[in-house]
């Protein structure tokens, strides 16, 4: 369950003076030039717009192109978060994907191109009308500000944290730590540490990341042409596509 806050619309969110204060205090690690270069491989294309399909809580597909929502990191689809007061858990990854789907449903989505990540996904700040989708997910506690790469949504995150909504209602590992933990565990059992599972189904060739909801159920049958991959780029180059959350 997540809490939906009143929508405050900002056309182009700008990090507040809070960024400088947090950085000075050592509470926020701003991206270095090397990190930014690793994430933004190329830029300069025009914006992308159209009907969007949800891949997961922070990834869309528009006109056949993958768009990673820039400046945020949503819980992974299979991730579970704690509820306030120790009253159990909730499927925060599914909630983030469902909320993103509700924001884009039957709307034209416009994404400002901010470059590309190492997986060749366009990095986009995306809007439905005047609503900044990236910011809205952070405001509702359904995504973290991805401060390793961007300080754009630090202000929205601070408000969500203060209100203890979504992932902030109880102590929860952020998505990047969750992925690291899952990968470290999976690579121990994977051939040569290549932990991505390439599965062949009626829907085609699909790959599963260690933090995906169906990863544990997928069995690789090499005799059928299924295989392991060491990186998402390798899987994409071989013609496989990621599993879709919705």
């Amino acid at each position: 369950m997540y809490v939906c806050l009143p929508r405050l619309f900002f056309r182009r969110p700008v990090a507040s003076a809070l960024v400088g204060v947090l950085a000075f205090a050592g509470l926020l690690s701003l991206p270095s030039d090397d990190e930014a270069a690793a994430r933004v491989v190329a830029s300069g294309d025009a914006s992308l717009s159209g009907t969007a399909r949800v891949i997961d809580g922070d990834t869309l597909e528009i006109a056949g192109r993958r768009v990673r929502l820039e400046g945020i990191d949503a819980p992974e689809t299979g991730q579970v978060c704690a509820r306030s007061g120790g009253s159990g858990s909730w499927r925060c990854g599914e909630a983030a994907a469902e909320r993103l789907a509700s924001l884009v449903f039957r709307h034209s989505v416009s994404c400002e191109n901010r470059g590309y990540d190492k997986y060749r996904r366009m990095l986009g700040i995306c809007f439905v009308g005047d609503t900044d989708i990236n910011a809205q997910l952070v405001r509702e506690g359904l995504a973290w500000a991805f401060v390793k790469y961007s300080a754009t949504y630090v202000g929205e995150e601070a408000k969500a944290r203060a209100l203890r909504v979504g992932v902030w209602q109880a102590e929860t590992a952020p998505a990047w730590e969750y992925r690291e933990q899952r990968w470290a565990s999976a690579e121990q059992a994977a051939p040569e540490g290549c932990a991505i599972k390439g599965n062949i189904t009626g829907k085609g060739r699909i790959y599963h990341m260690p933090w995906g909801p169906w990863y544990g159920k997928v069995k690789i049958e090499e005799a059928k042409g299924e295989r392991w991959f060491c990186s998402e780029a390798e899987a994409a180059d071989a013609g496989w596509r990621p599993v879709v959350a919705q």
Side-chain angles (χ1 to χ4, degrees):
M1 178 179 180
Y2 58 85
V3 178
C4 181
L5 302 179
R7 297 187 182 183
L8 304 176
F9 300 142
F10 298 88
R11 182 65 179 99
R12 281 183 171 81
V14 179
S16 69
L18 177 64
V19 174
V21 174
L22 292 177
F24 181 78
L27 300 176
L28 171 65
S29 175
L30 297 179
S32 67
D33 290 341
D34 289 343
E35 287 174 335
R39 186 163 174 80
V40 182
V41 177
S43 61
D45 288 355
S47 298
L48 180 66
S49 63
T51 302
R53 181 172 69 137
V54 171
I55 303 301
D56 56 31
D58 52 31
T59 311
L60 298 171
E61 184 176 271
I62 301 174
R65 293 177 61 185
R66 293 293 163 95
V67 181
R68 177 66 164 79
L69 302 185
E70 172 67 346
I72 76 172
D73 199 8
E76 293 299 331
T77 306
Q79 190 169 353
V80 175
C81 299
R83 292 190 184 278
S84 61
S87 56
S89 60
W90 59 294
R91 297 184 177 278
C92 51
E94 290 182 6
E98 289 171 1
R99 179 58 175 140
L100 179 57
S102 74
L103 286 168
V104 304
F105 183 63
R106 292 184 176 177
H107 291 291
S108 177
V109 180
S110 177
C111 298
E112 297 178 357
N113 189 349
R114 298 301 172 87
Y116 296 87
D117 67 10
K118 61 183 179 181
Y119 305 117
R120 305 188 193 100
R121 297 175 299 190
M122 178 179 136
L123 299 171
I125 294 182
C126 299
F127 298 85
V128 169
D130 290 330
T131 303
D132 180 337
I133 296 171
N134 308 34
Q136 190 66 31
L137 291 171
V138 177
R139 287 191 201 106
E140 295 180 13
L142 292 172
W144 291 269
F146 209 172
V147 294
K148 180 178 179 181
Y149 301 110
S150 171
T152 302
Y153 300 108
V154 168
E156 285 81 359
E157 180 179 286
K159 294 174 184 176
R161 186 191 300 113
L163 292 170
R164 301 185 68 81
V165 296
V167 298
W168 300 108
Q169 63 185 279
E171 185 174 350
T172 295
W176 53 88
E177 290 183 8
Y178 178 81
R179 289 192 295 269
E180 289 175 1
Q181 294 165 0
R182 291 286 175 155
W183 183 274
S185 176
E187 70 177 350
Q188 298 299 316
E192 300 180 2
C194 296
I196 301 174
K197 294 181 177 180
N199 182 220
I200 299 176
T201 72
K203 295 182 179 180
R205 298 179 176 229
I206 300 170
Y207 67 83
H208 296 259
M209 303 300 291
W211 45 85
W214 304 288
Y215 184 84
K217 297 179 181 180
V218 174
K219 306 299 180 184
I220 298 302
E221 299 182 41
E222 296 184 358
K224 292 172 52 178
E226 297 179 335
R227 54 179 292 193
W228 299 84
F229 294 100
C230 298
S231 71
E232 288 196 77
E234 180 187 4
D237 285 343
W240 300 63
R241 59 185 176 81
V243 65
V244 177
Q246 297 287 306

